[in-house]
Amino acid sequence: MRGSLGIGALGAAVGAGLMFLCDPRMGRRRRALFQAKTFSVGRKACSVIDKTSRDVKNRTYGTVVTLKSGHSMGRTFALFNSNWPPAIRLMVGTTGSVMTAAGIAKGGTAGTFLGTIGIGSMILAITNFSFRDLMKRAGATDNTQTPTQRNIA
């Protein structure tokens, strides 16, 4: 029963879509708009994939050259830097959401730990705020206190 209900809903959705696109009055315009939007999204996706792959390739090449030269890498771990590229933010945010969901599903102490790391990863990805800056702000003291006034008598 449940499978036939799903097939019926799918058939109704396909029929409604065909009616929408094959309408005698506006169908041609809708099909042209749908085609233009589809190609536009495809071009943008190809562009993003191309940029991300070139970025990863260049970063990998730079890391290999630095390691082969024997110089110490003057950079810190990328997690501690701010201004992540959008692709890195997407990966960290997605990983964080998966970790949070796994932590909720697991439960217990391990689940709480996993969920906390996942939520922290999502916050870092969404805000694009440096972990190092966050630690500096947490450890900084407020030196703007007013000095004590002397009693002049």
Side-chain angles (χ1 to χ4, degrees):
M1 178 71 181
R2 189 174 192 186
S4 62
L5 180 64
I7 291 173
L10 179 65
V14 169
L18 285 173
M19 283 177 49
F20 183 75
L21 292 175
C22 296
D23 180 25
R25 278 194 183 159
M26 299 290 288
R28 182 177 296 178
R29 179 182 176 276
R30 290 177 183 151
R31 286 190 300 272
L33 186 61
F34 180 74
Q35 181 183 14
K37 294 285 185 183
T38 303
F39 286 138
S40 173
V41 167
R43 279 193 306 273
K44 288 179 183 176
C46 287
S47 174
V48 167
I49 290 169
D50 182 49
K51 287 178 184 177
T52 304
S53 66
R54 280 187 286 135
D55 180 51
V56 169
K57 183 182 88 171
N58 291 336
R59 287 176 189 260
T60 305
Y61 178 75
T63 303
V64 169
V65 168
T66 303
L67 291 174
K68 281 185 177 181
S69 69
H71 291 88
S72 65
M73 294 181 69
R75 302 178 136 231
T76 59
F77 184 56
L79 178 65
F80 299 128
N81 296 335
S82 60
N83 299 325
W84 290 345
I88 302 296
R89 290 176 64 190
L90 178 65
M91 287 189 304
V92 171
T94 304
T95 305
S97 61
V98 169
M99 288 174 67
T100 303
I104 291 170
K106 186 168 181 75
T109 306
T112 303
F113 183 72
L114 194 62
T116 304
I117 292 173
I119 289 172
S121 299
M122 287 191 307
I123 290 171
L124 285 173
I126 290 169
T127 62
N128 203 17
F129 191 69
S130 170
F131 183 75
R132 182 178 295 126
D133 292 341
L134 186 66
M135 290 286 105
K136 283 181 185 175
R137 285 187 181 187
T141 58
D142 189 16
N143 292 332
T144 60
Q145 298 174 356
T146 58
T148 59
Q149 295 184 359
R150 296 183 196 171
N151 289 333
I152 301 176

